[in-house]
Amino acid sequence: MTTTDLPEGALVPFTVYIDFESGDLTPDPVVLRRGLADLAGYFLSDVETATPADGDMYSVHEIRVPATNNNLLSSTTVLQPGKVGDEYFMTKGHFHATRDRAEIYLTLSGQGLLVMALEDGTTETKEMRPGIVNYVPGHWAHRSVNTGDEPLVFYAVYIGDAGYDYATIAEQGFPVIVVEGERGPEIVANPRYRRA
Amino acid sequence: MTTTDLPEGALVPFTVYIDFESGDLTPDPVVLRRGLADLAGYFLSDVETATPADGDMYSVHEIRVPATNNNLLSSTTVLQPGKVGDEYFMTKGHFHATRDRAEIYLTLSGQGLLVMALEDGTTETKEMRPGIVNYVPGHWAHRSVNTGDEPLVFYAVYIGDAGYDYATIAEQGFPVIVVEGERGPEIVANPRYRRA
């Protein structure tokens, strides 16, 4: 840099290193941790029946920039393997507060499913594995589910002003859930789903 | 999908697989190729002196969505190793037509430098190597340079309405160029740079 006279609203370029296996960022100043207690009520079974029964279910490692429509927010998520009853460990899931904003997921390690839903109950479920880009268009709530034995690590990028609406999912749930069946993951109707 | 009644402007979720080594996408319908002839005038030396002297200098593999401010455009770029005179192979580089739009680069393989410049001639140069996220804030023109012996492969994500201004760089150049020095890459002033 030879000047500090940046255009209004401009930032100075920076870099962050992602460990594709662990999802760790360097530097890593902002980490959100979600344990079993935080997910109480999100599974059909009581979270006290979870295996494993301790530790974080997932952590989100954020690359922070101003939450404006000209910036891109991004983060790695590290979702541990495990189950609550028959349901695999999963993220809470959310709509964007600004409904039409898209998001891109790039899976870096592990395997899972990305469950998406419109407010009318329409659902889409897509595979997550290393190298797969999941395009989550605007209007689709999104939740990731770890169906493997290793941590599921993905990098998400979204428009700065997308915002988060966790309340709708907390109240209504997703129309489908992902359970362990005899031959692997099964996507089944959520008996507790309540459409608005 | 259980319905085709998408909210206005909404898309159906989709997936694309990225080969982190080659940069190939599956499916891969849109590929832009740039050969030596396309880069004529971008280097101090004549592109006919390039080594290697044939093939594409780079290719861009796009994941197309509508170019609107609620969508995210993304692409892999595969930049071959080589030199024109002392200068390493590089992309043309551009500003965003909508100047304040940010972009994120995630390097997947190879090594290089990301050269960025403001319109006032301020420059920043950052390392590119696997796992590094380069945050390119709005207002910064950006060009990638392959300083290694293997293809440089990176995934770029940007806001759909960012747009491209290639003309400014085509006319003015970047304030700095990257040349091979005795101990490796050197960032030096571009004698042909013309500030607006």
Side-chain angles (χ1 to χ4, degrees):
Chain A
M1 291 280 289
T2 56
T3 176
T4 56
D5 296 329
L6 292 172
E8 190 180 340
L11 305 174
V12 175
F14 63 89
T15 64
V16 175
Y17 174 74
I18 301 176
D19 183 309
F20 286 5
E21 284 299 310
S22 69
D24 288 341
L25 304 184
T26 309
D28 191 354
V30 184
V31 183
L32 193 77
R33 299 186 185 282
R34 292 283 180 244
L36 287 173
D38 299 306
L39 276 291
Y42 282 82
F43 297 89
L44 294 184
S45 301
D46 194 301
V47 292
E48 291 181 6
T49 67
T51 52
D54 52 14
D56 294 328
M57 191 172 300
Y58 61 96
S59 58
V60 180
H61 310 242
E62 297 183 5
I63 300 177
R64 285 246 169 122
V65 292
T68 54
N69 75 338
N70 60 323
N71 278 304
L72 293 166
L73 284 163
S74 67
S75 56
T76 55
T77 297
V78 183
L79 176 56
Q80 299 300 323
K83 284 188 300 173
V84 178
D86 292 332
E87 291 177 85
Y88 297 98
F89 279 10
M90 62 188 187
T91 61
K92 290 184 173 182
H94 62 265
F95 286 96
H96 287 157
T98 305
R99 280 289 189 276
D100 73 350
R101 298 304 197 244
E103 181 155 348
I104 281 178
Y105 276 30
L106 173 62
T107 301
L108 302 175
S109 61
Q111 58 179 310
L113 291 171
L114 179 59
V115 180
M116 292 164 279
L118 294 173
E119 290 190 271
D120 71 0
T122 303
T123 65
E124 276 276 355
T125 303
K126 297 287 188 187
E127 185 186 7
M128 299 179 76
R129 62 181 166 81
I132 283 191
V133 169
N134 291 106
Y135 195 85
V136 184
H139 300 282
W140 293 87
H142 37 287
R143 159 183 286 169
S144 49
V145 181
N146 186 346
T147 59
D149 300 322
E150 302 295 328
L152 173 64
V153 180
F154 61 90
Y155 180 56
V157 181
Y158 51 105
I159 301 164
D161 68 347
Y164 316 94
D165 168 11
Y166 284 98
T168 302
I169 298 298
E171 291 165 14
Q172 301 177 12
F174 270 75
V176 295
I177 59 175
V178 183
V179 299
E180 184 178 54
E182 290 187 5
R183 285 181 299 277
E186 292 177 7
I187 301 158
V188 300
N190 177 4
R192 282 211 208 135
Y193 173 62
R194 296 183 304 142
R195 195 190 298 185
Chain B
M1 291 280 291
T2 56
T3 178
T4 56
D5 296 329
L6 292 171
E8 190 180 339
L11 304 174
V12 175
F14 63 89
T15 63
V16 175
Y17 174 73
I18 301 176
D19 183 311
F20 286 3
E21 283 301 308
S22 70
D24 288 341
L25 304 184
T26 308
D28 190 352
V30 184
V31 183
L32 191 79
R33 298 185 185 283
R34 294 281 180 245
L36 287 173
D38 298 308
L39 276 292
Y42 282 81
F43 296 89
L44 294 184
S45 302
D46 195 301
V47 290
E48 293 180 5
T49 66
T51 51
D54 52 14
D56 293 330
M57 191 173 299
Y58 61 97
S59 57
V60 181
H61 309 242
E62 296 184 5
I63 299 178
R64 284 246 169 123
V65 292
T68 54
N69 76 338
N70 60 322
N71 278 304
L72 293 165
L73 285 163
S74 67
S75 57
T76 56
T77 297
V78 183
L79 176 56
Q80 300 300 324
K83 285 187 300 173
V84 177
D86 292 333
E87 290 177 87
Y88 297 98
F89 279 9
M90 63 188 187
T91 61
K92 288 183 172 183
H94 61 265
F95 286 95
H96 287 157
T98 304
R99 280 289 190 275
D100 72 350
R101 298 305 198 241
E103 182 157 346
I104 280 178
Y105 277 30
L106 173 61
T107 300
L108 302 175
S109 61
Q111 58 178 312
L113 291 171
L114 179 58
V115 180
M116 291 163 281
L118 294 172
E119 290 190 272
D120 72 359
T122 304
T123 65
E124 275 276 355
T125 303
K126 296 288 188 185
E127 185 186 7
M128 300 178 76
R129 61 182 167 83
I132 283 191
V133 169
N134 292 106
Y135 195 83
V136 184
H139 300 283
W140 292 87
H142 37 288
R143 158 182 287 169
S144 49
V145 180
N146 186 345
T147 58
D149 299 323
E150 302 295 328
L152 173 64
V153 179
F154 60 90
Y155 181 55
V157 181
Y158 51 104
I159 301 164
D161 68 347
Y164 315 95
D165 168 10
Y166 284 97
T168 303
I169 297 299
E171 291 166 15
Q172 301 177 14
F174 270 74
V176 294
I177 59 176
V178 183
V179 299
E180 185 178 53
E182 290 187 5
R183 287 181 298 276
E186 292 178 5
I187 301 158
V188 299
N190 177 4
R192 283 212 209 135
Y193 174 62
R194 295 184 305 144
R195 193 188 303 184

